[in-house]
Amino acid sequence: MTSERVQLIKVRQWLAEWERVQWREGLERPKENFYVGSISLEKLRKLAGVTTRDVSQRGDPDSIQGYQRMHEENQSKKINRFVHFGYPLSTSQNLVPSQHEHLINPGWLPNAIIVNVIPSGSQRVKGGRNAVVPKDLEVSIGEDQYGSHLNIPSESEIDKLQKSGSVFVEPIEIIDGQHRLFASDYGEKFGNDYQVPIVVFDNLSLGWQAYLFWTINVEPKKINASLAFDLYPELRRQEWLEQSETIKIYQEHRSQEMAEALWSHPQSPWKGRIELHGRRKRGHVSNAAFIRSLNSSFIKKWNRGERVGGLFGSIPNSDGSSTKVIPWKRSQQAAFLIQVWRSISKSVNKSQAEWKLAISRSAQGQLLDDFSPAFSGENTLLATDQGVRAVHNIFNAIFQDIPEKLDLMSWYAGDALLEKPTEESIDYALKSFQNMGKANEIIEQISEAIVNGFDWRLSSAPGLGDKEKKVQSAYKGSGGYSLMMKELLKVLGSDENVDSMIQDAANDVAATLIKS
């Protein structure tokens, strides 16, 4: 393998106080130095681009651990124009540079692009599947009598692999500066004379990369904290953020966004039934209740010692030692919630359970509505705060307990899927989720089991005897949340018609669940 060298300056940054840091999995002790150098932006572009969103595969920016970038094409286009023509032509798209040469100025990019060298054989996800850094593309940092240097493969080696059509991971990932990196993809190339400064870390863990990104971009208020969690799902499980308000702010922002998606999307059974302005209406649930239910379930922050985390937040590993993050986009998260509620509604429609039939008999005038009165009427727990939280908690608990068995990491919705949960992007995600066979099967089985195996009538529903009213009254108030959760877990743990993995997960969660 032929290679080239990029000269580096070794920078040692270490303090005695840092020896007191509690190094742990994902945040292991890093090397005591990094490096500074310069490289052609075009050459860096060839070496780095897989764990960031490139032009051809920007729909799948996630690494195997959930390391994610969000690339905005317009930003890279602006940088390309700035590099070639400087300011003010970079901000004046309607001006033709050849006709306004007196406005052309240098487009300097003096701020360093921060990169990490990935060892050969390391895995990331590309195009929805695992890929590795090939040995032929290995990048390494060396030392000799002349100082430090970066050993990089020749451009011919990179071109050969790209032309082969094989899926591989480039050996450098960008920690900060991806829009500068991708700028040459959106206009005239820069050529090898246009170099950029780089700061080089050697095999820095994804946890520390997330930390570094945070300190560069969020703490100085360069970007919104909620956006940062979208850029780096890895941040959602960082213990150094637990003492700040940032996790709580992120959770509430995301829950609000999910509630709005459920309220507005045409395929959602909750379309128009979430009260956003504090009004109370039978069969509707308040926006605040939806947000609280999501915060306590899908977007819950996992705390050490607990067995249940949020499917959209951080999930404890089976041994409880650390957490993982499923790198779904927000549009995928919204689509998953809609799919869950569609399945519940469908199961209610099909059900012949006595509680469902009793509500239907007492609400003949609602039988022509879009949804069964047993799902959305004034006498069902499914249309109350308690019922919504119970459904969210049950599905979150089961799915976060067995994500590997359901292959949730593999849900790749394609290049057309946007991060933002717009109606179009949710439609696309719903369609792609139909390919998740086992996950859909489990959603349907859970829905049918809890609809048919539990009495969802309110204590005020017509036709209840005194004993039944007393049982149903127990689900009122704050204590009703945990009681309903326990009863639903019993239903799933004993239902012989559901997959054994559901039974096992329900019994596992029931034995260890920490009360919300």
Side-chain angles (χ1 to χ4, degrees):
M1 178 185 75
T2 58
S3 64
E4 303 173 18
R5 279 189 174 190
V6 173
Q7 211 59 42
L8 298 174
I9 298 173
K10 188 175 184 178
V11 180
R12 176 177 167 80
Q13 279 192 1
W14 200 261
L15 293 175
E17 290 87 342
W18 299 1
E19 298 295 344
R20 299 201 295 267
V21 175
Q22 297 179 9
W23 314 114
R24 51 212 180 273
E25 183 183 359
L27 293 170
E28 297 86 358
R29 181 189 176 102
K31 296 178 181 178
E32 297 182 3
N33 48 263
F34 56 81
Y35 303 84
V36 176
S38 69
I39 188 173
S40 156
L41 187 56
E42 296 288 355
K43 188 169 293 184
L44 182 61
R45 175 66 184 91
K46 287 196 171 185
L47 289 168
V50 68
T51 51
T52 56
R53 181 176 299 184
D54 63 25
V55 176
S56 62
Q57 290 190 306
R58 58 183 177 272
D60 180 30
D62 311 317
S63 79
I64 196 166
Q65 295 92 342
Y67 187 8
Q68 181 178 339
R69 304 289 203 277
M70 179 186 294
H71 177 239
E72 298 178 6
E73 293 183 10
N74 285 338
Q75 181 68 8
S76 288
K77 289 176 181 177
K78 289 178 182 177
I79 293 173
N80 183 288
R81 186 173 172 89
F82 171 78
V83 167
H84 283 291
F85 307 114
Y87 181 86
L89 286 176
S90 60
T91 60
S92 304
Q93 300 295 323
N94 58 323
L95 297 182
V96 179
S98 62
Q99 297 174 4
H100 298 83
E101 292 187 350
H102 63 290
L103 296 179
I104 296 177
N105 288 303
W108 289 308
L109 295 176
N111 292 339
I113 294 176
I114 304 177
V115 307
N116 180 57
V117 174
I118 313 174
S120 62
S122 297
Q123 286 190 338
R124 297 290 187 267
V125 170
K126 186 172 183 180
R129 51 183 171 149
N130 290 347
V132 300
V133 178
K135 183 68 175 175
D136 289 345
L137 285 191
E138 183 177 46
V139 168
S140 62
I141 296 174
E143 306 268 353
D144 59 22
Q145 66 270 31
Y146 302 108
S148 305
H149 55 267
L150 191 68
N151 297 309
I152 63 175
S154 66
E155 291 190 32
S156 61
E157 294 283 353
I158 302 172
D159 292 339
K160 184 169 68 175
L161 263 175
Q162 288 176 336
K163 290 176 182 177
S164 71
S166 59
V167 178
F168 63 92
V169 176
E170 278 92 344
I172 289 177
E173 58 193 349
I174 305 299
I175 298 174
D176 187 63
Q178 63 158 329
H179 290 100
R180 282 166 280 169
L181 180 78
F182 294 130
S184 67
D185 291 357
Y186 298 95
E188 188 178 345
K189 299 293 183 182
F190 302 141
N192 288 329
D193 285 337
Y194 192 87
Q195 297 191 347
V196 290
I198 53 173
V199 170
V200 184
F201 285 85
D202 189 11
N203 195 22
L204 191 65
S205 74
L206 292 173
W208 285 126
Q209 288 185 49
Y211 171 83
L212 191 56
F213 176 86
W214 182 271
T215 59
I216 293 169
N217 290 294
V218 182
E219 189 60 26
K221 309 300 183 185
K222 289 183 180 179
I223 67 170
N224 179 275
S226 289
L227 175 60
F229 284 102
D230 295 331
L231 301 179
Y232 276 75
E234 183 75 18
L235 287 168
R236 301 174 198 170
R237 61 173 178 171
Q238 295 305 316
E239 293 178 359
W240 46 269
L241 280 173
E242 288 181 359
Q243 301 304 313
S244 74
E245 287 293 304
T246 312
I247 286 285
K248 183 178 179 181
I249 292 169
Y250 161 75
Q251 290 173 318
E252 291 180 351
H253 181 274
R254 185 61 62 247
S255 295
Q256 175 69 57
E257 191 173 45
M258 294 298 107
E260 288 180 1
L262 283 161
W263 171 78
S264 63
H265 196 275
Q267 296 189 57
S268 169
W270 284 101
K271 178 175 171 57
R273 295 179 53 234
I274 299 174
E275 292 301 326
L276 303 181
H277 305 294
R279 294 173 297 183
R280 297 186 65 84
K281 183 178 179 181
R282 281 294 188 101
H284 292 207
V285 171
S286 72
N287 186 49
F290 248 93
I291 290 174
R292 286 194 299 268
S293 73
L294 290 167
N295 279 345
S296 70
S297 56
F298 289 103
I299 307 176
K300 179 182 178 182
K301 176 72 175 71
W302 176 75
N303 296 308
R304 190 166 296 279
E306 295 184 359
R307 276 290 294 119
V308 178
L311 190 68
F312 302 164
S314 54
I315 305 172
N317 286 322
S318 56
D319 59 2
S321 61
S322 62
T323 63
K324 53 184 167 288
V325 175
I326 297 176
W328 290 350
K329 293 182 173 64
R330 288 137 58 201
S331 48
Q332 289 174 286
Q333 294 174 1
F336 181 84
L337 291 174
I338 291 172
Q339 185 66 16
V340 163
W341 282 107
R342 288 168 65 183
S343 180
I344 291 288
S345 176
K346 180 181 177 182
S347 296
V348 171
N349 286 339
K350 294 193 308 180
S351 177
Q352 294 298 307
E354 176 54 35
W355 74 268
K356 182 266 177 111
L357 298 177
I359 289 181
S360 297
R361 286 192 296 267
S362 66
Q364 291 295 317
Q366 299 179 39
L367 294 180
L368 296 180
D369 291 350
D370 292 337
F371 299 105
S372 166
F375 175 77
S376 61
E378 60 183 19
N379 293 311
T380 174
L381 282 164
L382 287 169
T384 65
D385 297 5
Q386 288 90 343
V388 167
R389 179 178 281 198
V391 169
H392 287 167
N393 277 329
I394 279 292
F395 277 92
N396 175 72
I398 301 302
F399 271 73
Q400 67 83 45
D401 195 66
I402 51 174
E404 293 87 359
K405 294 179 181 178
L406 300 177
D407 202 20
L408 299 184
M409 289 282 191
S410 71
W411 182 18
Y412 172 60
D415 296 342
L417 185 68
L418 301 176
E419 176 73 44
K420 187 176 181 180
T422 63
E423 181 178 324
E424 182 181 8
S425 62
I426 293 173
D427 282 339
Y428 198 91
L430 283 168
K431 183 177 180 181
S432 70
F433 190 71
Q434 300 311 307
N435 297 322
M436 299 289 290
K438 192 62 179 179
N440 276 292
E441 180 185 336
I442 295 301
I443 288 175
E444 291 177 7
Q445 288 187 19
I446 294 173
S447 299
E448 291 186 3
I450 64 176
V451 164
N452 293 313
F454 182 78
D455 189 341
W456 289 93
R457 285 176 292 182
L458 288 169
S459 59
S460 58
L464 288 177
D466 291 341
K467 184 177 180 180
E468 291 171 317
K469 285 182 179 180
K470 184 177 181 179
V471 171
Q472 298 307 106
S473 293
Y475 301 127
K476 291 181 178 179
S478 58
Y481 294 130
S482 57
L483 177 60
M484 195 181 304
M485 181 70 171
K486 290 176 182 176
E487 292 301 317
L488 291 173
L489 287 170
K490 285 182 184 178
V491 168
L492 291 176
S494 60
D495 192 326
E496 296 181 355
N497 294 318
V498 301
D499 193 298
S500 60
M501 75 169 69
I502 298 176
Q503 290 181 311
D504 293 342
N507 291 326
D508 180 37
V509 173
T512 58
L513 188 63
I514 302 296
K515 191 179 298 183
S516 314

